Amino acid sequence: MAEEDVASLKRDVQEILFYLKNDNKADRKGLIAEVAELKKGFSEFVTAYKTDKAVKKGQLGVIATIGAGVALVIEWLIKTIW
């Protein structure tokens, strides 16, 4: 491999590393940090979604129980009165 090829490969590797690593001087996040941040944000979103879904199921269960109780009371009242 010629000296020019090695120098060209070094420049290419340096350019790739420039995009991957954080640049503290320019206050720029690299791709590795951005992907880690996106992963964390997505994980938090999934957790919030699952929690919201569970809460809605619980609320539906409570509403169904109250509705069934009201129906039983109405049925009892109708049977008692007539």
Side-chain angles (χ1 to χ4, degrees), residues 1-73:
M1 202 180 259
E3 191 75 26
E4 295 170 358
D5 293 335
V6 172
S8 175
L9 288 174
K10 283 184 179 181
R11 278 192 306 273
D12 291 344
V13 168
Q14 289 300 321
E15 187 174 344
I16 290 170
L17 290 175
F18 172 76
Y19 289 109
L20 292 177
K21 294 182 178 179
N22 292 343
D23 186 0
N24 295 329
K25 293 177 185 175
D27 197 29
R28 181 189 64 82
K29 291 182 181 177
L31 288 176
I32 295 171
E34 287 186 21
V35 168
E37 190 175 295
L38 287 172
K39 182 179 176 183
K40 181 182 175 192
F42 182 72
S43 177
E44 290 172 357
F45 169 78
V46 169
T47 301
Y49 175 76
K50 287 181 180 179
T51 302
D52 185 54
K53 198 171 178 182
V55 166
K56 285 184 180 178
K57 278 186 179 180
Q59 288 174 340
L60 181 62
V62 168
I63 291 170
T65 302
I66 292 170
V70 169
L72 287 173
V73 168

Side-chain angles (χ1 to χ4, degrees), residues 61-81:
V62 168
I63 291 170
T65 302
I66 292 170
V70 169
L72 287 173
V73 168
I74 291 173
E75 180 184 2
W76 178 78
L77 285 173
I78 291 174
K79 285 181 181 179
T80 305
I81 293 173

